[in-house]
């Protein structure tokens, strides 16, 4: 009784207020937009711009020296107009003239040097430093007001790519504390706000480039994908980020894009997994097409390697594993005959709430392995617990297991992936293979064509001779975009969302 | 009265201290924040640096000592996620939760008292049966499910309510609805059963026999006496709400303490967890005192006891 | 429960007739009767359901993904539709019943035993120990259960038994407080005071006189709590802190299916219905229990039988 009457009365009230409600919902004709995202964007200091914070601040508030072309992955000028390698470890960068920060400070070599030094300031929890520059110390040297040299200890052929992560903030930014209102050279400013308020970006006059159409952007946090989708549908938001595949049901509004994430299961090279026949059999037993069409959709790409085709070093000649359960059984029988224990239960370590349909994919793969006689058991873990198994130093003894992983390489070059995962000294490597080490080491210091070839060779060698993982998919994200916007997500969507690329219909 | 409150305060302070100790040490069992806040690929050296910077590399007891010393200066530490004082976060989030709980409790109580009383008039009667069933049904549905279905129906299909967020009073309708349904069901049951008891008590029977109007009997005589257990249960429910509007807040994007707490727990943002637990506990302490006062007003025996 | 408590006093026949009385009283309250029948059915399903399912009902079948309900083409097992891996929802519900009842049941039982134990001490002994116990209960009450869930998830692992632990631990104070209040009241009753005066031992006092009298209230509470614990479990699953696959509970099914509400409502609807019906039944049964055990109300169920 209680509930029914309450709902009825609520409904009645709403109907009475109907007209005013719709008034409140209607989008204004102005160019303010609302973006619904699953993130809290806790700390939008430009120093964190390589994380999801980049969606808000990167290029909108703080600009970087270069900008990666979303199609080719090539660096293009942004705050830097040109760059050249002047010594084996030094790059000379020419900066854009006539640019000012939104607080009035001039953009010059001093500001760039200070931004770099601030990033390396040990007092700051700077994600960019941790993620990209932990082992690469950049040393800036000011040549003149708009020329700067950046040098590194070892040759760094990737400097122009790194420069796309060097977001430059105003020299007035506090050097020793993170700021919640970063100031850069971008077209937008971030007004001060309270701890519980959403982030708002406001367009300012006098931007050096073309004035963007969006006048104001508000970033709302909504944890449920269904809710974000609903918000765009009813007009409460203009862009809904990270729409789950099951909510992306309207092709007019929902756009897929490769989110740069690649998924796989990693083997620990212990027990049965020390035997390459078992590792091969595990790959042969998976019907990736069924998995893709059943749980995901045709937009997902079956992966042969851990990064996307646009990344330097991608080997286009590699083929996905065929689905061949008979061959898998044969390999397992051979291994069994040689005394390899392929019948005990082996855990698959998954991560709770990792990626949409991740859990289902794990369950489905376990079923497929069961069909060839393998006994794999799902063991979901919370992130921190999972991390202890993922990163070296590993606890001893390391058990035989499969680990669910997802990796994003947004940088444009294979090195961020290869060394970490496949080199014997890599932090997440399970094996050491002298030939592979050699290939990766050589590739790391090479440049141009040679670099690409070496990485391609390393990739092909690893996949056929070592079989370190069960490759899955290049993943897709959906973004729901209101019909009033003229906007198409690009490949960089995962790390930045340039408001200047958004137009209105 | 004064002595009673002094004693009460002392006891609560002791409980609070115990709670803080427990939360401090147990929370630190759940792993290093460096693992959660830094990207997966972060090298160990950077993780160690992070731990050292925030003092997590020191012995637990040293960390606790420092926390206590800072606490005496009303400094509850800072959030690892954005560097702001933890207390600021909690105080900014608290009013939302309080307001949410207030409305949900007010509506629950009103509906529960009216429905429960009428149901108690004829136990086993038609109204009683239907009211019981509906209030139980309401109390038996997972609230996150109600929330999502509610959005689907009222915001997407009929478009009479906004999906989420704060702003207009209409934004509060769905979250409050999600929050009030369960307590309302429970309270209706409590009101009903204590009203049945009160109505069969000698003084109400006399009143009924004297021909006093039904409404006067129920709302004038019986209700006052039936309110004692209702107040107790309502207090518990309200405390639970302040403690746990997590689901309503997460789904509807309400920046309240519940969401703050779950976020901080997920990210091992210890200072904020501690501050949130402490502020909530203090709020519940005042709530309990308020309930004691209501008790004293309703039942004169307590005042002298 | 009353009959169990008093069984030792009478002979077997008396106990039998009491059981018959109870059954009659249950029969007279139709809601309670249906509830009890439903609960028995759920228990039956939980115990035997999974074994009478046809082969393959629980194996993945991606081609039957999200198959709609009331479609008999795939066989009766798919009458409620299939989930997002193409497994029969009916079969999943049966397996989920086992886990759900096991978790809620053991959590309630553990909390009941621990809570009653400490409640007895706090109420019977009182004094300093009583105060300390109450104080501890307060602390447990204000300890955020989500944090507790995370601690257990992290330090131990997301096993079914650990979820039980979390749910039980956070509910202990409820029983403790209720039990203490009951004891305080019973302690003052004449027969207890008399027994004490006659020099009964503490153990005798507690187990023979106090506990049996406090038990009815506690049993009613436990029945109510059963519903509450089931809902808490589903909330934990929603937040990703509860039971994890391959184990499955109704709460987890609701939570997993919520993403499909707009496209395949049956994924979260059926388990939601299962939770609600079970919770309602438990609540209705508790209501009946309360009436039966309340001497002032019991006549309502006895009287109508005579007419």
């Amino acid at each position: 009784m209680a509930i029914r009457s309450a709902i009825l009365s609520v409904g009645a009230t709403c109907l009475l207020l109907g007209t005013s409600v719709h008034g409140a919902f209607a989008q204004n004709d102005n160019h303010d937009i609302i973006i619904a995202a699953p993130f809290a964007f806790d700390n939008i200091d430009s120093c964190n711009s390589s994380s999801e914070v980049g969606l808000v601040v990167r290029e909108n508030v703080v600009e970087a020296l270069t900008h990666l072309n979303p199609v080719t992955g090539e660096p293009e000028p942004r705050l830097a107009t040109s760059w050249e390698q002047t010594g084996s470890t030094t790059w000379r960068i020419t900066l854009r003239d006539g640019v000012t920060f939104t607080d009035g400070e001039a953009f010059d070599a001093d500001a760039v040097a200070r931004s770099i030094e601030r990033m390396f300031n040990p007092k700051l929890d700077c994600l960019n430093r941790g993620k990209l520059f932990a082992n690469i110390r950049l040393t800036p040297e000011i040549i003149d007001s708009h020329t700067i040299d950046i040098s590194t200890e070892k040759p760094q052929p990737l400097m122009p790519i790194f420069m796309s992560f060097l977001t430059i903030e105003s020299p007035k930014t506090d050097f020793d504390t993170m700021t919640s209102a970063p100031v850069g050279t971008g077209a937008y400013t971030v007004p001060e706000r309270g701890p519980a308020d959403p982030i708002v970006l406001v367009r300012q006059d006098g931007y050096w480039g073309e004035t963007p159409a969006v006048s104001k952007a508000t970033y709302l946090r909504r944890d449920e994908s269904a809710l974000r989708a609903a918000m765009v549908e009813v007009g409460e938001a203009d862009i809904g980020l990270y729409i789950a595949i099951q909510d992306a049901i309207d092709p007019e509004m929902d756009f897929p894009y490769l989110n740069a994430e690649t998924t796989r299961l990693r083997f620990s090279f212990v027990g049965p997994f020390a035997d390459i026949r078992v590792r091969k059999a595990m790959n042969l037993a998976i019907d990736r097409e069924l998995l893709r069409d059943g749980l995901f959709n045709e937009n997902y790409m079956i992966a042969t390697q851990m990064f996307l085709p646009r990344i330097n070093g991608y080997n286009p000649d590699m083929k996905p594993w065929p689905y061949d359960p008979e061959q898998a059984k044969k390999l397992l029988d051979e291994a069994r005959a040689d005394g390899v224990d392929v019948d005990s239960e082996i855990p698959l370590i998954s991560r709770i709430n990792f990626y949409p349909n991740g859990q289902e994919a794990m369950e489905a793969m376990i079923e497929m392995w069961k069909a060839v006689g393998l006994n794999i058991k799902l063991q979901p873990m919370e992130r921190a617990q999972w991390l202890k198994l993922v990163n070296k130093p590993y606890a001893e003894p390391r058990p035989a297991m499969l680990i669910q992983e997802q990796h994003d390489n947004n940088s444009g070059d294979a090195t961020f992936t290869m060394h970490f995962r496949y080199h014997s000294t890599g932090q997440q490597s399970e094996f050491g293979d002298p030939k592979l080490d050699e290939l990766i080491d050589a590739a790391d210091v090479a440049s141009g064509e040679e670099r690409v070839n070496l990485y391609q060779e390393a990739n092909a060698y690893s996949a056929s001779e070592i079989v370190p993982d069960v490759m899955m998919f290049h993943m897709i994200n959906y973004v729901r975009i209101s019909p009033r916007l003229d906007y198409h997500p690009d490949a960089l969507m995962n790390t930045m969302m340039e408001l200047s690329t958004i137009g209105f219909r | 009265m004064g002595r009673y409150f002094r004693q009460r305060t002392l006891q609560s302070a002791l409980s609070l201290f115990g709670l803080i100790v427990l939360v401090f040490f147990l929370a630190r069992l759940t792993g290093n924040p460096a693992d959660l806040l830094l990207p997966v690929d972060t090298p160990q050296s950077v993780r160690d640096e992070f731990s050292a910077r925030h003092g997590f590399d020191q012995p637990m007891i040293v960390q606790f000592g420092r926390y206590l010393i800072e606490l005496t200066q009303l400094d509850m530490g800072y959030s690892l996620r954005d560097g702001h004082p933890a207390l600021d976060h909690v105080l900014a989030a608290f009013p939302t939760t309080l307001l949410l709980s207030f409305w949900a409790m007010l509506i629950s109580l009103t509906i529960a008292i009216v429905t429960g009383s009428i149901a108690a008039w004829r136990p086993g009667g038609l109204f009683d049966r239907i009211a019981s069933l509906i209030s139980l049904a309401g109390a038996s549905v997972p609230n996150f499910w109600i929330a999502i279905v509610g959005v689907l129906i009222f915001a997407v299909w009929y478009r009479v309510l906004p999906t989420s967020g704060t702003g207009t009073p209409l934004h509060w309708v769905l979250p409050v609805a999600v929050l009030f349904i369960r307590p309302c069901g429970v309270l209706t049951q409590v009101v009903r059963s204590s009203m049945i008891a009160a109505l069969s008590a000698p003084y109400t029977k006399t009143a009924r026999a004297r021909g006093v109007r039904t409404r006067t009997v129920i709302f004038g005589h019986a209700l006052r006496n039936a309110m004692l257990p209702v107040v107790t249960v309502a207090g518990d429910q309200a405390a639970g709400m302040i403690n746990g509007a997590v689901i309503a807040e997460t789904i509807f994007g309400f920046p309240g303490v519940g969401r703050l707490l779950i976020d901080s727990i997920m990210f091992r943002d210890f200072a904020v967890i501690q501050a949130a637990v402490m502020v909530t506990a203090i709020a519940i302490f005042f709530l309990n005192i308020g309930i004691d006062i209501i008790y004293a007003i309703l039942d004169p025996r307590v005042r002298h006891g | 429960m009353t009959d169990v408590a008093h069984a030792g006093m009478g002979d077997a026949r008396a106990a039998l007739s009491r059981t018959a009385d109870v059954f009659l009283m249950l029969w007279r309250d139709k809601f309670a009767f249906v509830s009890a029948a439903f609960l028995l059915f759920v228990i039956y399903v939980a115990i035997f359901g999974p074994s009478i399912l046809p082969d393959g009902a629980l194996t993945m079948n991606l081609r039957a993904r999200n198959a709609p309900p009331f479609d008999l083409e795939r066989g009766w097992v798919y009458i409620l539709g299939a989930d997002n891996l193409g497994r029969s929802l009916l079969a999943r519900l049966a397996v989920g019943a086992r886990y759900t009842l096991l978790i809620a049941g053991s959590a309630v039982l553990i909390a009941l035993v621990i809570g009653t134990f400490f409640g007895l001490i706090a109420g019977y002994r009182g004094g300093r120990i009583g105060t300390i116990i109450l104080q501890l209960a307060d602390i447990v009450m204000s300890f955020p259960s989500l944090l507790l869930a995370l601690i257990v998830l992290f330090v131990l692992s997301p096993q079914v038994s650990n979820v039980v632990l979390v749910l039980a631990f956070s509910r202990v104070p409820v029983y403790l407080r209720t039990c203490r209040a009951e004891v305080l009241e019973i302690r003052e009753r004449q027969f207890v005071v008399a027994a004490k005066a006659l020099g009964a031992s503490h153990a005798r006092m507690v187990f023979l006189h106090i506990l049996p009298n406090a038990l009815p209230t506690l049993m009613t509470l436990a029945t109510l709590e059963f519903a509450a614990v089931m809902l808490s479990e589903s909330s934990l699953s929603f937040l990703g802190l509860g039971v994890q696959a391959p184990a499955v509970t109704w709460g987890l099914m609701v939570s997993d299916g919520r993403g499909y509400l707009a496209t395949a409502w049956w994924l979260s609807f059926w388990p939601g219905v299962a939770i609600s019906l079970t919770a309602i039944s438990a609540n209705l049964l508790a209501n009946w229990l309360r009436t039966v055990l309340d001497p002032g109300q019991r006549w309502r169920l006895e009287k109508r039988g005579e007419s």
Side-chain angles (χ1 to χ4, degrees):
Chain A
M1 190 65 206
I3 286 90
R4 181 192 285 172
S5 61
I7 290 174
L8 284 179
S9 65
V10 164
T13 321
C14 296
L15 290 175
L16 286 175
L17 294 170
T19 42
S20 64
V21 173
H22 282 287
F25 284 13
Q27 293 286 352
N28 299 325
D29 203 30
N30 66 25
H31 288 174
D32 296 356
I33 64 166
I34 292 172
I35 297 160
F39 304 116
F41 299 121
D42 292 310
N43 194 330
I44 58 167
D45 192 291
S46 71
C47 194
N48 288 342
S49 60
S50 60
S51 71
E52 78 272 358
V53 165
L55 285 172
V56 178
V57 298
R58 222 166 138 191
E59 313 297 23
N60 296 326
V61 178
V62 284
E63 294 178 288
L65 294 178
T66 59
H67 183 75
L68 299 184
N69 182 304
V71 181
T72 62
E74 287 296 312
E76 291 171 351
R78 185 61 58 122
L79 284 179
T81 50
S82 63
W83 48 89
E84 57 171 336
Q85 198 162 10
T86 51
S88 64
T89 58
T90 306
W91 285 77
R92 174 154 300 179
I93 294 143
T94 311
L95 304 174
R96 192 173 292 278
D97 246 328
V99 176
T100 52
F101 289 97
T102 48
D103 60 0
E105 295 289 304
F107 167 75
D108 54 18
D110 282 325
V112 175
R114 189 175 183 278
S115 277
I116 293 174
E117 291 301 348
R118 184 171 181 268
M119 181 175 69
F120 284 103
N121 179 0
K123 286 184 187 150
L124 296 184
D125 297 328
C126 176
L127 295 185
N128 291 6
R129 178 178 75 236
K131 189 166 184 181
L132 301 154
F133 300 104
N135 301 313
I136 305 166
R137 180 64 164 97
L138 306 180
T139 313
E141 192 191 333
I142 298 165
I143 305 301
D144 63 38
S145 77
H146 283 78
T147 315
I148 190 166
D149 278 0
I150 299 180
S151 48
T152 47
E153 282 148 13
K154 279 191 270 180
Q156 200 40 266
L158 297 180
M159 187 56 79
I161 287 176
F162 280 138
M163 281 158 61
S164 74
F165 290 99
L166 291 179
T167 43
I168 310 301
E169 71 270 346
S170 160
K172 278 191 187 157
T173 310
D174 197 305
F175 196 74
D176 291 329
T177 53
M178 303 287 264
T179 172
S180 52
V183 174
T185 56
Y188 296 88
T189 54
V190 191
E192 284 288 345
R193 65 186 186 285
D197 298 336
I199 294 168
V200 177
L201 300 192
V202 182
R203 188 178 61 199
Q204 51 99 27
D205 297 326
Y207 175 57
W208 62 268
E210 215 175 296
T211 306
V214 173
S215 52
K216 187 175 137 190
T218 306
Y219 296 80
L220 296 180
R221 172 183 172 193
R222 295 292 183 269
D223 290 3
E224 288 288 305
S225 154
L227 199 69
R228 295 192 292 277
M231 287 174 77
V232 180
E233 190 182 340
V234 303
E236 283 177 43
D238 299 288
I239 297 177
L241 295 173
Y242 291 84
I243 301 299
I245 179 168
Q246 58 268 23
D247 295 317
I249 45 178
D250 184 349
E252 300 285 301
M253 292 200 287
D254 299 316
F255 299 94
Y257 62 95
L258 282 168
N259 66 9
E261 300 277 5
T262 305
T263 49
R264 71 161 182 172
L265 296 176
R266 182 217 296 189
F267 293 111
S268 69
F269 279 45
V270 182
F273 294 153
D275 192 300
I276 191 168
R277 288 170 298 193
V278 179
R279 300 200 297 272
K280 280 183 174 168
M282 303 253 332
N283 270 294
L284 289 166
I286 299 299
D287 187 347
R288 290 176 174 77
E289 279 171 29
L290 178 67
L291 202 59
R292 179 188 65 185
D293 300 340
L295 283 179
F296 303 102
N297 64 26
E298 67 287 354
N299 292 316
Y300 286 70
M301 278 172 69
I302 294 176
T304 54
Q305 45 210 303
M306 279 305 277
F307 39 77
L308 289 175
R310 67 180 154 88
I311 306 293
N312 224 3
Y314 182 87
N315 187 337
D317 300 328
M318 288 161 67
K319 296 270 170 290
W321 282 90
Y323 171 54
D324 190 348
E326 290 316 311
Q327 180 65 18
K329 277 187 204 154
K330 221 178 99 197
L331 284 171
L332 288 175
D333 285 340
E334 279 174 37
R336 194 180 283 114
D338 289 348
V340 179
D341 176 17
V342 293
D343 298 312
S344 324
E345 182 180 282
I346 305 169
L348 190 171
I349 311 296
S350 71
R351 207 175 108 186
I352 298 166
N353 294 338
F354 203 177
Y355 46 80
N357 281 348
Q359 169 96 8
E360 287 84 349
M362 295 304 107
E363 290 184 70
M365 288 168 84
I366 287 175
E367 290 276 346
M368 291 173 182
W369 283 316
K370 201 170 148 195
V372 297
L374 284 162
N375 182 10
I376 311 290
K377 178 149 193 277
L378 190 61
Q379 202 174 317
M381 286 190 179
E382 205 267 340
R383 183 178 174 188
Q385 211 182 11
W386 171 88
L387 266 173
K388 285 198 290 194
L389 293 173
V390 168
N391 280 319
K392 279 183 187 168
Y394 301 136
E396 291 295 335
R398 191 153 174 84
M401 61 187 160
L402 283 152
I403 305 176
Q404 183 188 19
E405 283 190 318
Q406 166 170 270
H407 167 67
D408 68 320
N409 185 333
N410 285 304
S411 63
D413 190 86
T415 181
F416 294 94
T417 305
M418 298 301 286
H419 199 95
F420 220 74
R421 294 187 156 65
Y422 299 130
H423 193 280
S424 58
T425 61
Q427 189 173 320
Q428 296 179 359
S429 162
E430 299 276 355
F431 58 91
D433 183 274
K435 180 165 178 214
L436 189 58
D437 282 2
E438 225 169 81
L439 282 168
I440 294 174
D441 286 337
D444 276 347
V445 290
S447 59
E449 194 80 3
E450 191 196 353
R451 185 180 180 94
V452 173
N453 289 339
L454 282 165
Y455 276 131
Q456 287 184 346
E457 196 185 335
N459 255 327
Y461 174 78
S462 158
S464 63
E465 305 303 318
I466 299 173
V467 197
D469 36 33
V470 179
M471 291 302 304
M472 293 172 61
F473 304 102
H474 298 306
M475 304 297 277
I476 290 287
N477 265 359
Y478 283 87
V479 54
R480 179 168 278 197
I481 299 168
S482 155
R484 82 177 184 119
L485 297 189
D486 180 14
Y487 174 55
H488 298 284
D490 58 36
L492 300 174
M493 202 43 212
N494 214 31
T495 47
M496 64 180 96
M497 198 170 86
E498 276 192 279
L499 296 176
S500 61
T501 60
I502 299 175
F504 294 85
R505 289 187 203 278
Chain B
M1 205 75 169
R3 185 170 157 273
Y4 163 77
F5 281 117
R6 257 201 311 282
Q7 198 183 345
R8 185 74 192 255
T9 313
L10 186 73
Q11 271 181 8
S12 301
L14 271 174
S15 292
L16 189 61
F17 184 76
L19 184 65
I20 289 170
V21 175
L22 213 60
V23 169
F24 187 94
F25 288 100
L26 285 181
R28 276 162 179 75
L29 282 182
T30 60
N32 191 335
D35 295 340
L36 279 309
L37 284 158
L38 302 178
V40 175
D41 297 351
T42 310
Q44 191 57 39
S45 60
V46 176
R47 289 182 199 280
D48 293 343
E49 219 180 82
F50 179 94
S51 297
R53 192 159 50 244
H54 297 289
F56 294 127
D57 56 339
Q58 302 194 352
M60 207 86 101
I61 194 74
V62 175
Q63 292 184 40
F64 186 62
R66 184 187 294 161
Y67 170 65
L68 284 187
I69 291 168
E70 284 173 0
L71 205 56
T72 56
Q73 295 147 12
L74 273 182
D75 176 0
M76 299 200 188
Y78 55 91
S79 161
L80 288 174
R81 288 180 292 157
D82 65 2
H84 286 300
L87 192 58
D88 288 7
H89 274 288
V90 178
L91 293 182
F94 210 63
T96 310
T97 304
L98 272 187
L99 216 55
L100 211 52
S101 313
F102 172 78
W103 283 113
M105 271 329 280
L106 190 72
I107 297 174
S108 298
L109 270 175
T110 315
I111 296 179
I113 289 174
V114 174
T115 332
S117 308
I118 302 176
W121 184 249
R122 267 186 237 293
L126 187 67
F127 185 89
D128 178 31
R129 299 249 149 174
I130 294 173
S132 285
L133 206 61
I134 292 181
S135 66
L136 283 177
S140 309
V141 185
N143 48 6
F144 61 88
W145 200 79
I146 300 182
I148 297 172
V149 173
V151 169
L152 216 57
I153 294 176
F154 294 106
V156 181
W157 295 345
Y158 291 109
R159 306 209 177 174
V160 287
L161 291 174
T163 60
S164 57
T166 49
T168 67
L170 282 177
H171 282 98
W172 291 73
V173 174
L174 279 175
V176 168
V178 166
L179 270 182
F180 98 84
I181 287 176
R182 235 159 109 180
C184 187
V186 174
L187 283 171
T188 307
Q189 293 297 309
V190 177
V191 171
R192 176 186 170 272
S193 54
S194 56
M195 275 300 272
I196 292 177
L199 283 172
S200 54
Y203 58 88
T204 28
K205 279 189 175 152
T206 332
R208 267 166 117 165
R210 280 212 321 265
V212 178
R213 278 175 59 198
T214 311
R215 202 188 299 165
T216 323
V217 172
I218 293 184
F219 293 103
H221 297 78
L223 194 58
R224 187 189 171 99
N225 293 288
M227 278 309 277
L228 289 177
V230 177
V231 169
T232 314
V233 176
D236 278 356
Q237 295 284 342
M241 227 182 257
I242 295 173
N243 232 332
V246 183
I247 287 186
E249 289 176 6
T250 338
I251 292 181
F252 294 108
F254 261 58
V257 177
R259 195 178 77 171
L260 183 69
L261 188 66
I262 183 84
D263 276 356
S264 315
I265 287 174
M266 290 301 188
F267 278 102
R268 317 294 196 267
D269 200 346
F270 299 140
V272 182
I273 299 177
Q274 284 149 203
V277 169
M278 187 129 91
V279 171
T280 315
I282 292 173
I284 291 174
F285 165 71
F286 282 112
L287 179 83
N288 283 332
I289 288 194
I291 285 169
D292 283 351
I293 293 172
I294 297 176
Y295 238 96
I297 294 169
L298 286 175
D299 185 358
R301 281 172 303 177
V302 176
R303 245 175 291 174
H304 306 296
Chain C
M1 245 321 118
T2 20
D3 43 340
V4 176
H6 293 281
M9 297 178 188
D11 60 26
R13 192 189 291 176
L16 202 67
S17 92
R18 285 198 67 87
T19 316
D21 278 354
V22 169
F23 182 80
L24 265 177
M25 277 191 280
L26 190 58
W27 176 247
R28 269 167 217 144
D29 184 340
K30 291 293 180 286
F31 276 152
F33 183 78
V34 173
S35 304
F38 180 77
L39 286 180
L40 281 177
F41 169 72
V42 172
I43 292 169
Y44 174 82
V45 167
I47 296 172
F48 301 106
S51 56
I52 55 173
L53 286 169
D55 282 347
L58 285 168
T59 38
M60 170 194 78
N61 174 11
L62 288 181
R63 286 182 182 88
R65 188 161 192 250
N66 295 347
F70 313 122
D71 179 3
L72 290 172
E73 209 176 285
R74 297 173 200 280
W76 62 270
V77 193
Y78 288 89
I79 180 85
L80 297 183
D83 72 358
N84 51 356
L85 286 177
R87 295 172 296 203
S88 148
L89 275 173
L90 187 67
R92 296 270 291 167
L93 280 178
V95 180
R98 183 175 282 189
Y99 281 105
T100 308
L101 293 196
L102 196 71
I103 289 174
S106 10
V108 165
L109 199 69
I110 293 173
L112 175 70
V113 171
I114 298 177
T116 307
F117 178 73
F118 285 104
L120 281 174
I121 298 179
Y124 187 73
R125 285 289 306 272
R128 181 154 302 198
I129 293 177
T131 318
I132 291 174
I133 289 177
L134 272 189
Q135 202 105 58
L136 286 175
D138 272 356
I139 295 175
V140 173
M141 273 294 241
S142 19
F143 194 88
S145 54
L146 296 173
L147 180 59
L148 182 73
L150 187 80
I151 292 166
V152 168
L153 193 63
F154 184 84
V155 179
L156 307 164
S157 62
Q159 279 164 1
V160 172
S161 55
N162 293 328
V163 175
V164 171
L165 212 68
V166 172
L167 292 169
F169 182 77
S170 51
R171 306 310 289 186
V172 164
V174 179
Y175 299 95
L176 196 153
R177 285 174 167 189
T178 313
C179 178
R180 175 178 166 273
E182 281 287 304
V183 173
L184 286 181
E185 191 259 330
I186 296 166
R187 208 172 55 172
E188 303 308 320
R189 286 195 200 161
Q190 278 184 352
F191 73 96
V192 181
V193 176
K196 197 169 186 181
L198 290 173
S201 71
H202 286 311
R204 201 179 157 76
M205 289 287 298
V206 170
F207 290 106
L208 212 64
H209 297 295
I210 294 180
L211 189 57
N213 285 292
L215 221 44
T217 312
L218 289 169
M219 289 317 295
T220 313
L221 181 67
T223 320
L224 281 173
E225 279 287 300
F226 181 82
V229 165
M230 230 166 41
L231 293 170
S232 302
E233 189 272 323
S234 74
S235 295
L236 280 185
S237 292
F238 172 79
L239 294 166
L241 296 171
V243 176
Q244 304 293 337
V248 58
T249 61
W250 292 339
L252 188 62
M253 288 173 75
V254 178
S255 169
D256 283 349
R258 72 181 191 271
Y260 297 88
L261 265 172
T263 46
W265 52 267
W266 48 94
L267 263 62
S268 71
F269 181 76
W270 298 124
V273 167
I275 291 182
S276 304
L277 285 182
T278 311
I280 292 173
S281 302
N283 280 321
L284 284 173
L285 203 63
N287 265 357
W288 171 81
L289 213 57
R290 195 162 32 206
T291 315
V292 170
L293 300 174
D294 181 350
Q297 299 296 322
R298 195 181 167 124
W299 57 270
R300 288 182 199 284
L301 292 167
E302 289 167 337
K303 185 189 70 176
R304 255 173 300 156
E306 288 153 18
S307 60

